[in-house]
Amino acid sequence: MSRFSIFTKLIATLLILLIPILLLFAVSNRTSKDVLTEEIIKVKQYQIETFANQLDQLFFRLDTYKKMLYESTDVRNLAYPDLLDDVLDKYRTNRTVSEEINRLAGYGDWKAVIAVLYPRTGIVIKSNSSLNALPKVLPAQDTFWQYYSDSNEDYFLGILSYPEKSAESGEAHMRVVLKFGVAELRRALSEFKTNGSGDPFLYHPGMDPIYNYSVNVNQIDEFLPRLGEIDHSLESGYMLLKSDKTRFQVHYQKLESLGWYLVDYVPISNIMAPISRNQTMFYVISGMLLFMGAYLAFVMYRNIQIPFRKLFKNMNLIEKGIYSVRMVDKPEGEYRLLYEKFNSMASKIEELIEDVYKEQLRSKDATLKQLQSQINPHFLYNTLAYIKSMIELNEDQAAVSMTMNLSKYYRYTTKTGNKMVRLKEELDLIHFYLEIHCMLRDDFEFHIEVEPQMEDLEVPRLIVQPLVENVILHSFKNHSDYGMIHIRVWREEGMNHVSVEDTGTGIDYLVIESIRMKIQSTNEEIESGLKNVHQRLRLMYGSDSGVLLSQSKLGGLCVELCWSSREGES
């Protein structure tokens, strides 16, 4: 036995040393990756959110400039020169508008072209005197930072016409135009990248991205087609995308002013590469240790464990009751003697169990016969007394009816050939029994409720009758009201149940406990119908079967038979 202990300790020591280390490293490695990933997400989301807010503030400020010029009295007066007093007044107004435009265009580091056009007079006042400052042909409709591209440059354009909705009909008196070049956005993206962010760019479905000046186009092209999977209902978020070469953590933030997405990415594979290399190296070394330990275990398994397992398997078979098992293919060495001792022990146990089993069968059969003899006469004594009383009262019809029911009852009870009957036959017996008492007393009624699949169930003879007799003799003894007996038969969770409830005077909980103790008592001097039924059920179906007592919802006592289903019952 000490050899087995040494082997067990060796294998257990190897596993105890190796498994916690592997688990600890795996958890530590996973935690490190998770923490690093969460920090990257927080930092990157904060960076692009801050930069996106700066861009939105810029375009909202430019939009404010556009509305200021649109609502300016001087700007609108130039649209109607005939209303001005003289040339000097026109000049002063023109100069005022020009200065206001230049003043607004000079705010901040962002350069945008601000202009006011008067279609009827052909006057154009703009912040940039270059001929290409404005597109040659403006869109007919008003726009809110619409993206355009021509041979000279790409830009965003915002136009507001006066009166409102007059541009498309060609009747606009004044148009305020703001143009913001894409070159300024690229410069801003490049500065954002220089400050430590990854490789930011602007993205809009169906349009070419707006990159920074030092963009890594090849790397972006690996995941650019997957950006179409962005959920447009979200203002911001991130995605984990995988290409053939790299895994990317792609973050995006929608610009409310432009409708484009500010996108930045992190090649997460490159960041996690050192951690992955250490992980691979650790697992390789652990695998080598595990292989060497497995080889050692295999050698010991072949020489020690296999003979032991055969012996242990046969011991389990004996534990399950298969006492005919024997050890074959006896090995050389110490195990041979152990196998021979096992075979000798199994033979003696088999002989002893057979003797005990035969004796138990004889004892159970004798006990069942004794219990049956105690129950069979019980009903006869009571019913003959009732028949005598009815004849003395000259109630011939009642006597005939009772005699017919009684004959059916005893035709059933005097069949001694079978100890087991169908449950339906047992319930028919109860029906005859209760019909007799209903004719005699006329102060109660009964109801029998049976699940259809329970009718063909085999049960011991006269197993339910003592319960009903107990109700008749005791529950309605001092009960002046009209009584009710309810009998129910059902199956639940593999257990069969028969309950008998009544509306009698009821019984105290302490009295129920006293009766329960008498029923479960092993004292042969204590005898009762319920105890006999309880013993019969336990002898035939095991210790989980028997008689249960409780207070009935009808007001009286509930007595329930409970026994387990046998194989083949459904």
Side-chain angles (χ1 to χ4, degrees):
M1 196 65 182
S2 59
R3 295 177 182 269
F4 302 150
S5 299
I6 293 174
F7 171 76
T8 303
K9 291 178 181 179
L10 178 62
I11 299 300
T13 301
L14 179 62
L15 294 176
I16 289 173
L17 291 176
L18 189 57
I19 291 179
I21 295 175
L22 289 173
L23 292 177
L24 181 62
F25 178 80
V27 172
S28 176
N29 188 70
R30 173 55 59 187
T31 303
S32 300
K33 287 186 175 180
D34 292 342
V35 171
L36 182 58
T37 300
E38 291 177 2
E39 288 300 318
I40 292 174
I41 292 173
K42 291 179 182 178
V43 172
K44 187 56 64 177
Q45 286 291 102
Y46 174 78
Q47 290 176 344
I48 67 170
E49 183 178 356
T50 302
F51 186 60
N53 290 335
Q54 293 177 1
L55 294 178
D56 279 331
Q57 290 175 6
L58 164 67
F59 284 97
F60 288 147
R61 187 171 70 247
L62 293 177
D63 190 61
T64 301
Y65 295 166
K66 180 174 62 176
K67 292 180 180 179
M68 290 172 59
L69 292 173
Y70 178 83
E71 295 173 358
S72 173
T73 303
D74 291 332
V75 173
R76 291 189 178 183
N77 285 341
L78 282 181
Y80 309 97
D82 296 337
L83 299 179
L84 298 176
D85 295 334
D86 51 23
V87 176
L88 181 59
D89 193 19
K90 294 179 182 179
Y91 172 75
R92 289 175 179 173
T93 303
N94 191 314
R95 183 175 178 181
T96 300
V97 173
S98 178
E99 289 176 353
E100 179 66 15
I101 290 175
N102 289 328
R103 181 179 66 83
L104 294 176
Y107 286 153
D109 298 330
W110 305 85
K111 304 302 180 183
V113 178
I114 305 176
V116 180
L117 285 71
Y118 300 93
R120 295 199 306 170
T121 61
I123 298 175
V124 178
I125 303 175
K126 56 186 178 180
S127 61
N128 191 329
S129 60
S130 172
L131 295 177
N132 297 324
L134 292 177
K136 294 180 180 180
V137 180
L138 293 177
Q141 71 278 6
D142 290 351
T143 62
F144 182 78
W145 298 121
Q146 187 67 35
Y147 178 77
Y148 294 93
S149 178
D150 58 25
S151 57
N152 294 324
E153 65 173 330
D154 301 332
Y155 53 88
F156 288 91
L157 201 62
I159 303 176
L160 191 60
S161 300
Y162 178 84
E164 294 182 2
K165 301 180 181 179
S166 61
E168 296 182 4
S169 61
E171 298 177 356
H173 299 170
M174 175 191 72
R175 305 191 77 184
V176 181
V177 181
L178 271 75
K179 174 188 171 186
F180 193 87
V182 170
E184 286 293 314
L185 287 175
R186 290 183 175 175
R187 179 180 63 82
L189 290 171
S190 298
E191 291 179 358
F192 183 63
K193 179 179 180 179
T194 303
N195 292 332
S197 292
D199 201 5
F201 62 95
L202 295 178
Y203 168 80
H204 191 283
M207 297 184 182
D208 294 332
I210 299 175
Y211 298 116
N212 60 77
Y213 285 116
S214 58
V215 64
N216 187 344
V217 178
N218 294 331
Q219 197 167 53
I220 293 178
D221 287 341
E222 292 182 26
F223 64 87
L224 186 61
R226 299 283 303 280
L227 292 182
E229 300 174 7
I230 291 178
D231 187 356
H232 299 293
S233 63
L234 301 178
E235 296 294 328
S236 63
Y238 73 95
M239 298 187 298
L240 296 177
L241 304 179
K242 184 177 181 181
S243 67
D244 296 336
K245 302 178 181 178
T246 313
R247 290 187 299 113
F248 297 95
Q249 191 183 91
V250 181
H251 299 259
Y252 58 89
Q253 176 76 34
K254 189 173 184 179
L255 300 178
E256 296 181 5
S257 56
L258 301 181
W260 286 55
Y261 286 93
L262 174 61
V263 181
D264 200 359
Y265 65 93
V266 177
I268 200 71
S269 298
N270 298 340
I271 296 177
M272 299 294 182
I275 298 178
S276 299
R277 285 195 298 269
N278 292 338
Q279 181 181 10
T280 302
M281 184 181 299
F282 181 85
Y283 285 149
V284 169
I285 296 174
S286 299
M288 294 174 62
L289 292 175
L290 185 60
F291 174 78
M292 291 186 291
Y295 178 76
L296 177 61
F298 171 75
V299 174
M300 300 187 68
Y301 174 82
R302 184 180 59 185
N303 296 303
I304 298 177
Q305 188 68 6
I306 290 179
F308 175 79
R309 287 183 60 184
K310 291 181 179 178
L311 181 61
F312 188 77
K313 178 181 178 181
N314 287 349
M315 291 177 66
N316 284 336
L317 293 176
I318 287 183
E319 183 180 5
K320 294 177 181 178
I322 306 175
Y323 302 107
S324 60
V325 65
R326 297 292 184 271
M327 298 298 300
V328 295
D329 300 328
K330 300 177 183 178
E332 298 296 329
E334 296 82 359
Y335 276 100
R336 185 178 185 86
L337 177 61
L338 190 59
Y339 278 23
E340 291 175 352
K341 293 296 183 180
F342 174 86
N343 290 340
S344 176
M345 177 192 68
S347 298
K348 292 181 180 179
I349 290 177
E350 184 178 14
E351 294 174 0
L352 179 61
I353 292 297
E354 288 179 355
D355 294 338
V356 172
Y357 182 72
K358 292 176 181 178
E359 181 62 27
Q360 286 182 345
L361 289 178
R362 288 192 294 268
S363 176
K364 284 187 177 181
D365 186 65
T367 304
L368 285 173
K369 289 180 179 179
Q370 181 183 3
L371 292 173
Q372 186 71 35
S373 65
Q374 292 175 359
I375 293 175
N376 284 337
H378 196 72
F379 175 70
L380 179 60
Y381 299 150
N382 292 282
T383 55
L384 289 178
Y386 282 117
I387 293 173
K388 177 178 177 295
S389 298
M390 287 168 49
I391 294 174
E392 290 176 350
L393 294 173
N394 295 321
E395 295 186 12
D396 298 337
Q397 186 61 39
V400 171
S401 298
M402 183 180 60
T403 304
M404 293 299 297
N405 283 286
L406 190 60
S407 66
K408 294 177 182 179
Y409 174 83
Y410 272 104
R411 184 179 297 114
Y412 171 82
T413 56
T414 54
K415 292 180 181 179
T416 58
N418 296 326
K419 297 179 181 179
M420 304 294 292
V421 295
R422 293 170 58 231
L423 182 57
K424 184 178 185 306
E425 298 177 18
E426 187 75 7
L427 295 176
D428 289 339
L429 173 70
I430 300 304
H431 185 272
F432 300 146
Y433 179 80
L434 290 175
E435 281 289 346
I436 294 173
H437 285 284
C438 282
M439 288 187 294
L440 291 175
R441 300 178 56 160
D442 197 25
D443 61 348
F444 75 93
E445 62 182 31
F446 64 92
H447 176 67
I448 301 177
E449 179 184 348
V450 187
E451 290 184 357
Q453 70 271 19
M454 297 288 290
E455 292 185 347
D456 294 330
L457 187 68
E458 288 193 349
V459 297
R461 291 169 58 86
L462 298 176
I463 198 68
V464 182
Q465 189 268 348
L467 278 61
V468 179
E469 182 182 6
N470 188 69
V471 175
I472 299 297
L473 295 179
H474 302 290
S475 296
F476 296 151
K477 185 175 182 180
N478 298 318
H479 190 62
S480 59
D481 297 333
Y482 192 75
M484 173 69 183
I485 300 176
H486 182 253
I487 301 172
R488 180 175 172 232
V489 182
W490 77 98
R491 177 180 291 126
E492 182 179 2
E493 297 181 355
M495 297 294 291
N496 302 312
H497 302 267
V498 176
S499 67
V500 178
E501 299 182 70
D502 61 78
T503 58
T505 55
I507 187 170
D508 187 71
Y509 177 79
L510 296 177
V511 178
I512 293 178
E513 286 297 317
S514 176
I515 297 174
R516 184 183 293 115
M517 293 178 63
K518 292 180 180 178
I519 290 174
Q520 297 177 355
S521 173
T522 58
N523 188 351
E524 297 296 333
E525 296 180 359
I526 301 176
E527 296 183 359
S528 69
L530 293 181
K531 180 179 179 181
N532 290 339
V533 172
H534 182 73
Q535 290 180 345
R536 292 176 66 190
L537 287 176
R538 289 176 64 87
L539 284 173
M540 298 194 68
Y541 297 100
S543 59
D544 59 342
S545 305
V547 177
L548 304 177
L549 301 178
S550 63
Q551 293 179 339
S552 172
K553 295 180 180 179
L554 301 179
L557 180 67
C558 175
V559 183
E560 179 181 330
L561 305 183
C562 178
W563 70 96
S564 59
S565 297
R566 294 178 172 177
E567 294 183 2
E569 295 179 358
S570 59

